[in-house]
Amino acid sequence: MAILVTGGAGFVASNVIDRLLAGNEIVFAVDNLSLGSVQNLEHYRGGGSFRFIEADLADVDAYRAAIAELTRQTPIHEVWHLAANSDIRAGSLDSALDLRDTFMTTFNTVRLMDEFSIRRLIFASSSAVYGDRRDVELAEDSGPLLPISNYGAMKLASEALISAAAQRFMEKALIFRFPNVVGMPATHGIVLDLVNRLRTSPELLSVLGDGSQKKQYLHVTELVDAMMWCRDHGDRGLDVFNIGPDDSGVTVRQIAEEVVAAVAPEARIQFGVGKQGWIGDVPHFRYSIEKLKRLGWEPSLHSGDAVRRAIAEISQQGCLDGGGKF
Ligand SMILES: NC(=O)c1ccc[n+]([C@@H]2O[C@H](COP(=O)([O-])OP(=O)(O)OC[C@H]3O[C@@H](n4cnc5c(N)ncnc54)[C@H](O)[C@@H]3O)[C@@H](O)[C@H]2O)c1
């Protein structure tokens, strides 16, 4: 039996695929390469336990054809649905983007899981479903859930759809609300953005917002650990978990200063105005991860450590352009 990873050429997915292959799983990946890169899949080329098909998962016929092709010899028993528009800012400018890449990819995943009798789903949701609740420590049952970005809205709609599907035909459906995730191979996010800005202009780092935005950051290796732990130790059919570090986060100012120190110590930092970096940006949030801890998993890195490690890793990484052919 195989595991299907959607958005397989992306940042988090390539870490998930590494871990699944290390556990001797057969892994199939699909991606339309809109944001991910084939470079992230190069090292699996020729391995007997891995196959990749390029397909747009918002197009149900293309998605169905990819699954039919992949399952010709080995059926799929579990899906890790990670494909989405991960560019929240772009989704605020074009609401069709999140409808298509965040919601319709989930809708089609659920529909095709039913058609192909696949009963286990792991879903990458986001802290964005909580909206702007800056002074509350957010637990999984905190409400009302009022997202402030199209991205958050389409993640929340996806969660609702999965909840309904879980009643109908799923044996296991785990919804993970990620915080900001950092590490390699970065395709987007604050650390990559700041490092790339400094590479373009080593004298001046201009930062979106006034630098006071404060959020929690988790290193991708810990994120994957936590998901694996819940998948293997949770006993409920449908469940929702916040995954995050156990701290109150770090500010954008701190991150900018650390990036400058690591990449171009002479650079001057110029902050923007206002607390929001862009429309749809949640300037402050803090999770409770008590539920995750009760299940037996705890993070070992604080937000600041995760960011520092990611800066060291990403400043060694070349600029990614996405796309390409596998
Ligand atoms: N990285 C974070 O900080 C973070 C935070 C919260 C939630 N998430 C979620 O985790 C998942 C993985 O995120 P990531 O950071 O690895 O982003 P990413 O952009 O690196 O990966 C997403 C992948 O989905 C693919 N994709 C998008 N639309 C598609 C479509 N229509 N058909 C096929 N493939 C498509 C992209 O090409 C990309 O490879 C996403 O669902 C994202 O929303 C990430």
Side-chain angles (χ1 to χ4, degrees):
M1 300 287 268
I3 296 176
L4 176 70
V5 180
T6 75
F11 158 51
V12 174
S14 57
N15 284 274
V16 166
I17 293 169
D18 282 345
R19 199 71 65 89
L20 292 173
L21 289 174
N24 292 321
E25 302 280 6
I26 297 171
V27 179
F28 298 151
V30 282
D31 199 298
N32 68 351
L33 303 177
S34 56
L35 298 168
S37 166
V38 280
Q39 291 167 38
N40 295 337
L41 303 171
E42 276 302 326
H43 58 295
Y44 309 125
R45 194 195 282 274
S49 304
F50 179 78
R51 280 195 68 193
F52 171 70
I53 289 187
E54 183 179 339
D56 180 359
L57 311 186
D59 173 345
V60 73
D61 294 328
Y63 196 173
R64 186 183 289 110
I67 296 189
E69 165 67 23
L70 289 166
T71 52
R72 214 178 287 280
Q73 284 169 352
T74 312
I76 295 167
H77 75 106
E78 182 172 282
V79 176
W80 289 60
H81 178 45
L82 302 174
N85 164 48
S86 58
D87 186 343
I88 301 180
R89 225 177 317 167
S92 294
L93 301 172
D94 171 11
S95 48
L97 188 58
D98 279 302
L99 175 65
R100 192 182 66 229
D101 290 341
T102 305
F103 183 73
M104 286 310 295
T105 59
T106 309
F107 181 84
N108 289 338
T109 296
V110 167
R111 177 175 169 179
L112 293 173
M113 283 179 67
D114 197 7
E115 278 182 38
F116 284 84
S117 300
I118 306 168
R119 313 230 173 275
R120 295 170 60 87
L121 175 64
I122 312 284
F123 176 60
S125 189
S126 163
S127 60
V129 299
Y130 291 110
D132 189 354
R133 306 284 305 282
R134 50 189 83 184
D135 296 321
V136 185
E137 191 182 55
L138 295 158
E140 289 81 352
D141 56 2
S142 297
L145 298 179
L146 296 171
I148 62 164
S149 60
N150 290 322
Y151 169 79
M154 293 299 99
K155 284 290 186 191
L156 184 55
S158 298
E159 288 192 9
L161 185 76
I162 289 166
S163 167
Q167 306 306 316
R168 256 185 332 114
F169 70 91
M170 286 186 194
E171 166 199 313
K172 188 131 200 124
L174 296 181
I175 294 168
F176 293 114
R177 293 179 180 156
F178 298 177
N180 291 285
V181 187
V182 292
M184 285 278 283
T187 53
H188 63 102
I190 184 168
V191 177
L192 182 67
D193 188 31
L194 296 184
V195 169
N196 283 344
R197 279 169 190 246
L198 268 184
R199 281 189 179 135
T200 316
S201 75
E203 295 84 32
L204 180 72
L205 178 62
S206 55
V207 175
L208 300 175
D210 63 9
S212 68
Q213 308 100 298
K214 191 173 188 191
K215 306 178 193 184
Q216 292 167 307
Y217 293 84
L218 189 71
H219 196 274
V220 66
T221 51
E222 295 222 285
L223 177 86
V224 179
D225 276 351
M227 287 195 284
M228 292 289 176
W229 181 271
C230 294
R231 170 198 187 232
D232 297 340
H233 293 84
D235 55 7
R236 295 178 57 182
L238 170 68
D239 219 341
V240 184
F241 290 94
N242 288 345
I243 304 185
D246 202 7
D247 57 51
S248 59
V250 289
T251 63
V252 166
R253 177 179 293 273
Q254 286 169 280
I255 298 174
E257 287 170 357
E258 299 236 13
V259 169
V260 165
V263 178
E266 305 302 319
R268 189 168 62 81
I269 305 176
Q270 185 180 64
F271 291 99
V273 284
K275 285 195 174 301
Q276 273 190 318
W278 60 86
I279 295 166
D281 182 28
V282 177
H284 292 262
F285 89 91
R286 184 173 180 189
Y287 267 165
S288 158
I289 58 159
E290 284 311 308
K291 183 172 174 184
L292 193 56
K293 284 163 61 177
R294 279 199 302 277
L295 194 64
W297 188 87
E298 290 201 33
S300 60
L301 295 176
H302 287 277
S303 290
D305 301 325
V307 166
R308 213 162 294 124
R309 186 162 146 192
I311 292 170
E313 293 166 342
I314 291 170
S315 53
Q316 305 297 316
Q317 169 185 302
C319 294
L320 286 178
D321 55 2
K325 293 272 171 276
F326 186 63

